[in-house]
Amino acid sequence: MKSEKEQTADLRWTLQKRMKEVLGRSLHIRHVDSGSCNGCDFEMNTLTNPIYDIQRFGVDFVASPRHADMLMVTGGVTRHLEEALIKTYNAASEPKMVVAIGACACGGGIFGRTYANYGGVDQIVPVYVYVPGCPPRPEAIIEGILLALKRYEQLSRNKGEKMH
Amino acid sequence: MEKTIKQWLSRMKQQLGNKVRSMEQNSAQETVMLVEKTELPDVCYFLWHEKKGRLFTMVGNDERDIHGFFALYYVFSFDSFRHFITVKTLIDPLDPTFPSVAVQLPAANWYEREVKDLLGLRPQGHPDPRPLILHGDWPEDLHPLRKDFPLDRHAPRVQSREAFMPYDSEDVTEIPVGPIHAGIIEPGHFRFGAVGDTILHLDARLFFTHRGLEKASEGMPLEKALFLAERTCGVCALSHSTAFAQAVERLGEVTIPPRAAYLRTLFLELERLYNHIGDVGNVCAGFGFAVGVSQGARLKETLQQLNERVAGHRYLRGVVRLGGVRIDITEREKEEIAQTLAYVKKEFQELVDLLFSHDIAMNRMATTGVLSLEHANQLEVVGVAARASGRSVDIRRDQPYAAYDQVSFHVPVYEVGDVLSRVRIRVDEVLESIAIIEQLLHSLPSGDTFTPLPPLPPYRSAMGWCESPRGETVHWLMVGPDQTIYRYRIRSATYSNWPAVPLAVKGNIVPDFPLINKSFELCYACCDR
């Protein structure tokens, strides 16, 4: 059986391969904190550290939603961030792949639905892929990106579009 | 000591005379003074100004179900006596107002705006009437922390009452930033008033991540609320779960077994370590020093992987249980912790040597973002930011909990209050933390890891506190007759420290703001709740 380190390395190579197959180019991600406890945010940050270093494989976190193929949303959408999430979603370019990161983004988590919290990203914008966990491990987030690529591939195929 | 505390309290009672209606012991460490609301500002100012008590936390509570009134609790910490004095006042629902304490005591500012938003108790004469927790489009007459407000009620949005400081001169440029920022950062809105590059004034609009955590906790069984408590903040998860567990244990008058106390201390220091080392690395991002960022992130990852191997979670969630700990460690794990720390210590020292011998890095950090001791004292700043400005507060030493009275450690204090001082504090504290862990591993007692809890007395309050990596955190708890939460108030370190940031950035240039902000390293989640 492969060691944990080797498995992580495999995952990253798969990521690069799949990005080339599906997108034919690099993948740009915009992060939106819609009211998380910041645990998921830190795990996303971890992806860019020298251990995981997904930037080396062509994935980057970008400053503007207009440059982004994918939105990673953490948190269950608070009342005060609803507008910011919608604006970011509208500003993102197609295909607007929304990946909900963590238990709160997937379904409200332990905070649930309150006067200040909507209890899940899909209450406000359509979600492509759900990555559960509290917070999800860096490997799980990479797996989430792979699932989103698969979904994109299937949807494009259904529409009969040429891939790239 | 016991005798001196008694004398000190009775003398205080004499000095306050008939301003205090009654005085009673709530626990061995806490005395409650009941006052009329008209006497509130005088008594609080006396405790703060004359007696040098620190405003520890303030809690508003809807106790109409219990005795027909709202209640306010202003808690002061007297570190030299290791004692708390709580000033309590009752407020008639027919006249939900009280004279503002914030007029004389600036640190009370946010607390009073908070009870106005969430409970509808209006501080008369408060210097800042703007909404705080709930943004301007929340209806002014709805108060979610009142018991008759249903948890999941969504209020309609109204015309916003939001206001920022208007600038008269045409020379002042207004620069709005956020709430969504360029990196992977939490949301907050900043509005700079700048003349050229120099920041004249900063307004921060926070509480974007307000999730209604305290309201959600009400009616929750304590075991479940522990999970909620440790999700207050991602990177101070253990500090929050420990503070909550301590509040519960204090309410039940339970002492946890020595092994559990030692293990809590051990994991709390591991939490401080991964945070401080990550933060020293992150500060380097403030001046584009990529080597520092990468090295900090690499060492942080090494520590988080250690957390996972030893405690089963990269952010140390699930370590604490009510009455003790859930995770015990083996001899092999002790060895592994010691080995990893020896490695991290050596590598971290290299990073620090590199950073402190780098002219550009030093130039950017020194004299940047100075927080004066006077401001730190007035705003009751805590944690790294306080100690970097010459304010020697550390709740591990001042009101020891877990096993902090069993280990020796030094609390570093610097005087200058700039970015460099805050980085130096973290560097020193990393070495102190490693030394604390070495002592703990060496003297870890054997025995049980938890004590069962008795039924808890209803409608009595208790506090738990913890020095999180960002500073002192206080959890105030009241349980109902059905052993579920009646009221739970979290005051995190960042709640105390945010108001200091706008003061520290004044006079600096706009490009230094990210650096100053990173040096405070305040999180939003635990502040906003």
Side-chain angles (χ1 to χ4, degrees), chain A residues 72-131:
Chain A
M72 276 194 179
V73 188
T74 57
V77 193
T78 61
R79 175 187 166 96
H80 298 333
L81 282 163
E82 181 193 6
E83 187 192 351
L85 175 62
I86 292 172
K87 278 188 175 169
T88 310
Y89 181 80
N90 289 339
S93 43
E94 293 293 339
K96 297 184 195 282
M97 293 185 264
V98 175
V99 181
I101 303 286
C104 297
C106 290
I110 195 158
F111 305 108
R113 217 178 134 76
T114 71
Y115 65 91
N117 204 37
Y118 287 100
V121 174
D122 59 8
Q123 304 290 313
I124 307 297
V125 295
V127 171
Y128 230 67
V129 170
Y130 298 84
V131 183

Side-chain angles (χ1 to χ4, degrees), chain B residues 219-237:
Chain B
M220 220 182 235
L222 297 167
E223 290 288 346
K224 190 178 173 192
L226 178 65
F227 288 90
L228 188 78
E230 69 184 3
R231 275 149 188 84
T232 310
C233 173
V235 281
C236 294

Side-chain angles (χ1 to χ4, degrees), chain B residues 24-32 86 253 460-463:
Chain B
E24 60 181 65
Q25 199 97 353
N26 187 35
S27 71
Q29 270 180 290
E30 187 192 356
T31 304
V32 178
T86 298
E253 296 177 8
R460 247 185 67 194
S461 68
M463 292 183 295

Side-chain angles (χ1 to χ4, degrees), chain B residues 500-522:
Chain B
V501 175
L503 297 176
V505 300
K506 239 189 226 176
N508 287 267
I509 55 172
V510 179
D512 271 340
F513 175 71
L515 175 62
I516 299 167
N517 204 11
K518 279 182 174 69
S519 75
F520 278 92
E521 181 51 27
L522 304 179

Side-chain angles (χ1 to χ4, degrees), chain A residues 4 30-46 48-52 61-64 78-85 88 104 110-118 134-139, chain B residues 118 133-135 137-138 144 149 151-157 180-187 207-213 215-216 224 227-228 231-235 294 297 300-301 305 308 313-315 317 523 525:
Chain A
E4 206 176 305
R30 173 64 240 179
H31 167 234
V32 184
D33 179 344
S34 75
S36 79
C37 75
N38 76 34
C40 296
D41 310 28
F42 273 96
E43 285 302 55
M44 283 173 59
N45 251 322
T46 299
T48 62
N49 79 16
I51 312 286
Y52 297 94
F61 291 99
V62 293
S64 166
T78 61
R79 175 187 166 96
H80 298 333
L81 282 163
E82 181 193 6
E83 187 192 351
L85 175 62
T88 310
C104 297
I110 195 158
F111 305 108
R113 217 178 134 76
T114 71
Y115 65 91
N117 204 37
Y118 287 100
C134 190
R137 298 170 47 89
E139 288 89 344
Chain B
L118 299 181
I133 311 280
L134 301 167
H135 287 185
D137 63 359
W138 178 274
F149 187 97
L151 170 66
D152 57 357
R153 176 172 174 191
H154 273 244
R157 290 187 194 273
I180 305 291
H181 299 281
I184 306 177
I185 332 173
E186 291 179 85
F207 297 94
F208 281 92
T209 66
H210 177 65
R211 290 150 280 170
L213 190 156
K215 179 80 176 182
K224 190 178 173 192
F227 288 90
L228 188 78
R231 275 149 188 84
T232 310
C233 173
V235 281
S294 288
K300 180 183 177 188
E301 178 70 19
Q305 290 185 359
E308 184 169 34
H313 198 283
R314 288 163 57 84
Y315 294 86
R317 282 176 174 163
C523 65

Side-chain angles (χ1 to χ4, degrees), chain B residues 429-465:
Chain B
E429 288 186 357
V430 163
L431 302 177
E432 290 296 328
S433 286
I434 294 175
I436 292 174
I437 294 174
E438 280 167 2
Q439 295 173 52
L440 293 166
L441 290 176
H442 192 69
S443 54
L444 187 65
S446 55
D448 289 340
T449 52
F450 85 101
T451 311
L453 286 167
L456 304 178
Y459 305 132
R460 247 185 67 194
S461 68
M463 292 183 295
W465 52 89

Side-chain angles (χ1 to χ4, degrees), chain B residues 314-447:
Chain B
R314 288 163 57 84
Y315 294 86
L316 298 169
R317 282 176 174 163
V319 166
V320 167
R321 70 182 288 179
L322 301 178
V325 288
R326 222 179 245 122
I327 306 290
D328 202 349
I329 57 170
T330 60
E331 285 303 314
R332 234 193 92 211
E333 283 164 340
K334 274 167 76 171
E335 189 60 33
E336 197 176 347
I337 294 171
Q339 277 173 7
T340 308
L341 293 194
Y343 168 78
V344 167
K345 188 177 173 180
K346 187 177 139 282
E347 298 278 312
F348 181 65
Q349 195 58 56
E350 275 181 38
L351 166 62
V352 170
D353 291 344
L354 186 68
L355 183 62
F356 286 164
S357 62
H358 195 294
D359 286 345
I360 297 175
M362 291 302 278
N363 188 290
R364 288 293 299 276
M365 292 190 291
T367 70
T368 305
V370 175
L371 176 68
S372 71
L373 177 59
E374 192 198 343
H375 283 153
N377 283 336
Q378 285 196 338
L379 293 173
E380 301 285 19
V381 170
V382 296
V384 171
R387 298 190 282 275
S389 292
R391 180 173 152 89
S392 180
V393 287
D394 188 327
I395 200 84
R396 293 176 297 171
R397 175 199 64 196
D398 301 336
Q399 307 260 15
Y401 53 93
Y404 283 109
D405 52 354
Q406 305 293 317
V407 287
S408 64
F409 60 98
H410 166 70
V411 176
V413 176
Y414 286 83
E415 308 291 331
V416 186
D418 56 358
V419 170
L420 182 60
S421 304
R422 288 186 281 277
V423 173
R424 281 196 197 281
I425 294 273
R426 289 197 180 88
V427 169
D428 291 2
E429 288 186 357
V430 163
L431 302 177
E432 290 296 328
S433 286
I434 294 175
I436 292 174
I437 294 174
E438 280 167 2
Q439 295 173 52
L440 293 166
L441 290 176
H442 192 69
S443 54
L444 187 65
S446 55

